[in-house]
Amino acid sequence: MLRKLVATDNDATLTILRLGLGVVMFAHGAQKALGWFGGYGFNGTMGFFTHNMGIPAPFAFLAICAEFLGGLGLILGLLGRVAAFGIVVNMVVAILTTHMANGLFMNWSGTQKGEGIEYHILAIAMGLAVLARGAGAFSLDRLLARAAANPSGATGDLTPHPAR
């Protein structure tokens, strides 16, 4: 099971997608979890999610974790598919519960009631690519996949060879 979860190609394009999504999601998660970058921190965010938005506490906690830990996981390329899944779910829920009513575009001019869904669509697309293909090159998942494919510790390619 772990082998399938961490399987990935040595693909630099996946790395670019993973790192781009990971950095952005980590920054948003750090606002919510740690209060960095002008955020309200864990208690402030939990209070806003549960009291102002009416989100049950377990789901509010999972949303914070999906952004913070998911972003960190994507940056490291560790359990990239799990991280991407959490972020995709988080973005779909954000669209359906909050942002869909504001249309497609972000609120660049400050004339809308809130933010549209364009950012969320991009995050979902990037997350789905990582979910489907893995974390790519320069990832801890790739190292784990190599170790799982060759438990004896010998180096070499990942091509399966028939038993001799």
Side-chain angles (χ1 to χ4, degrees):
M1 170 122 162
L2 177 65
R3 188 179 296 183
K4 287 183 180 182
L5 189 63
V6 298
T8 188
D9 295 326
N10 193 23
D11 186 339
T13 303
L14 290 171
T15 304
I16 293 167
L17 286 171
R18 171 178 56 83
L19 287 174
L21 182 59
V23 167
V24 170
M25 295 313 299
F26 175 78
H28 281 273
Q31 288 179 314
K32 293 172 179 71
L34 304 174
W36 293 1
F37 312 114
Y40 296 107
F42 183 78
N43 290 334
T45 303
M46 282 294 290
F48 179 77
F49 280 174
T50 57
H51 297 116
N52 294 42
M53 296 183 73
I55 299 171
F59 293 126
F61 177 76
L62 287 174
I64 294 169
C65 288
E67 290 187 17
F68 182 68
L69 297 176
L72 187 59
L74 288 175
I75 290 168
L76 298 173
L78 179 61
L79 299 176
R81 284 187 169 91
V82 173
F85 177 76
I87 289 168
V88 167
V89 169
N90 204 26
M91 293 294 104
V92 168
V93 170
I95 286 173
L96 295 175
T97 61
T98 305
H99 298 281
M100 182 77 83
N102 300 319
L104 176 64
F105 297 106
M106 293 179 67
N107 192 12
W108 290 105
S109 61
T111 58
Q112 294 176 191
K113 181 181 175 188
E115 300 293 341
I117 63 172
E118 64 182 334
Y119 160 81
H120 304 84
I121 291 171
L122 292 172
I124 290 168
M126 294 169 80
L128 288 174
V130 173
L131 191 56
R133 299 287 309 275
F138 310 109
S139 67
L140 292 177
D141 281 357
R142 182 126 171 93
L143 291 176
L144 291 171
R146 290 179 83 149
N150 194 2
S152 68
T155 60
D157 66 15
L158 295 179
T159 308
H161 298 283
R164 298 180 202 251

